Each structure stands twice: as C-alpha cells, then as structure tokens.
Amino acid sequence: ILLMKNKNASVVCVDITTYSAGKDLFKMTGGFRTDGGYGSAKEIEKGRTLFDVGAFYEYIISEIPLQMVSFIKKCNAILEDYEYYVFHEENKSFLSGIKKCINVDEMKILTSFKNYDNTSGSSIPLSIIDRDYNRSDEEIRFLSCSYGEGLSMGFADFFINRHNIFPVVKTDNFFEDGSLIYDL
C-alpha cells in the first residue's frame, strides 16, 4: 500500500501488540529452525521449532474479537462505523472462525483467499483491491486485523477514497535470479 501525506486526510488509527499469555503454543530449543514439519508444542525435540496449530487458531480466534472491541474504543468508534472489515487470511477455517465470533454483515467482510490463497503480508491489500468499487469520491472506512507467529496482532482503522483503489495488475514478469533487492 502506498500512502500519501495529506493535511486534510482522515486519521489512521493503528495498534500492534504481542500476547505473551499464549507463549506455550510455540517452543524453540537449540536456537535454530529446521525443515522438519510442525508438531505439538508438547513434543519438544532439541533444535526444532514446534507449533501447536490447533491451539494457535483457537487462541487467535478467541483473542481477535476481544482485542478488536478494545481497539475500536481507542479509535472512538463502534463496530457499525466501518463499511468493510478485512483480515489476514492464512487459511479458510480462520475467517469462518472469526465470522462466528463477530456480529457483522458477512457481505462487509472482504476476502481474497479463494482467488489468491495465502498471500501472507499482502492478503489485506489484496482483499481490499479484489472488490469492485464504483469510482466516486466517497471515502470508505475499513477495519483491518493481521496476526502472526509469536502471537503478534495488529489492527488498523483507516479511510480510503474509492477512486484511489486500483485493480490487481497481473503480469508474466518475474525475477530470473529468484531474489529481490530492497535498496531504495
């Protein structure tokens, strides 16, 4: 997402945090990660990072609605103030679990998982641009939530003018050497 500073723009409210109460869902011994698969956090082996996937989703799905309510209050808003809700989607079951926990119109929850699968950090922008908007000058208010390993979670309350939301650009171009350069 590219943002442009504008003195007249609406405020962007952001909260990023880590929830250490679920720290036992991840275990790491030996100081490195191997290519072995995931296992139960109860079955610690030296030198492996193990992850209790079921407990992680249960924790995240129960924690997001609680933290969302707190975040919305910090932004002086209520759930109904948002036109769309967009969540990071790691898999299909996550979003269905969240839908059960929050009481919003399902048509207001943006998703791009069926078109792009798990796109990691770009799932929220892809879900926003994967919707057909009219090109009016009206602003749309979004509430977004992302989560990740280490039990990190982030929320954002922001507005985007409809005419500034552009479609996905598809290309056959690729990096031949398989690497990206992050120099500016």
Side-chain angles (χ1 to χ4, degrees), residues 9 12 30 35 38-39 51-52 58 63 65 82 86 88-89 105 112 117 141 144 147 158 165 172:
V12 175
D35 290 333
Y38 291 115
F51 174 30
D52 190 336
E58 190 175 304
E63 194 66 32
Y82 302 96
V86 58
H88 165 65
E89 296 176 80
D105 179 358
S112 61
D117 208 69
R141 190 172 188 180
S144 68
Y147 66 95
F158 57 95
I165 300 174
D172 291 331

Side-chain angles (χ1 to χ4, degrees), residues 22-29 37-46 48-56 58:
K23 67 182 176 5
D24 290 333
L25 301 177
F26 295 91
K27 297 285 184 176
M28 185 168 164
T29 61
Y38 291 115
S40 170
K42 298 171 187 158
E43 301 167 6
I44 303 303
E45 296 177 33
K46 187 171 180 148
R48 292 193 55 188
T49 301
L50 298 173
F51 174 30
D52 190 336
V53 176
F56 172 73
E58 190 175 304

Side-chain angles (χ1 to χ4, degrees), residues 39-173:
S40 170
K42 298 171 187 158
E43 301 167 6
I44 303 303
E45 296 177 33
K46 187 171 180 148
R48 292 193 55 188
T49 301
L50 298 173
F51 174 30
D52 190 336
V53 176
F56 172 73
Y57 282 110
E58 190 175 304
Y59 180 80
I60 289 295
I61 286 171
S62 65
E63 194 66 32
I64 284 175
L66 296 173
Q67 298 306 319
M68 185 184 307
V69 169
S70 175
F71 172 72
I72 290 169
K73 285 180 185 176
K74 288 179 190 176
C75 298
N76 296 315
I78 59 173
L79 201 55
E80 294 77 18
D81 287 341
Y82 302 96
E83 190 164 349
Y84 294 108
Y85 309 90
V86 58
F87 300 90
H88 165 65
E89 296 176 80
E90 187 174 321
N91 66 41
K92 292 178 190 177
S93 64
F94 171 75
L95 194 56
S96 63
I98 289 296
K99 287 177 186 177
K100 291 176 186 174
C101 294
I102 61 172
N103 188 24
V104 297
D105 179 358
E106 193 170 321
M107 297 302 292
K108 289 185 165 197
I109 298 176
L110 302 180
T111 178
S112 61
F113 191 83
K114 71 177 184 177
N115 294 334
Y116 304 105
D117 208 69
N118 179 5
T119 55
S120 191
S122 60
S123 65
I124 289 174
L126 275 173
S127 292
I128 291 171
I129 64 176
D130 201 40
R131 181 80 166 213
D132 187 24
Y133 302 97
N134 65 36
R135 294 287 176 215
S136 70
D137 262 352
E138 181 184 343
E139 283 192 325
I140 305 169
R141 190 172 188 180
F142 293 91
L143 174 63
S144 68
C145 172
S146 187
Y147 66 95
E149 292 180 13
L151 300 175
S152 59
M153 191 178 298
F155 292 95
D157 170 336
F158 57 95
F159 293 83
I160 300 177
N161 192 302
R162 288 180 189 269
H163 73 263
N164 290 329
I165 300 174
F166 301 102
V168 172
V169 175
K170 295 180 181 180
T171 180
D172 291 331
N173 294 341

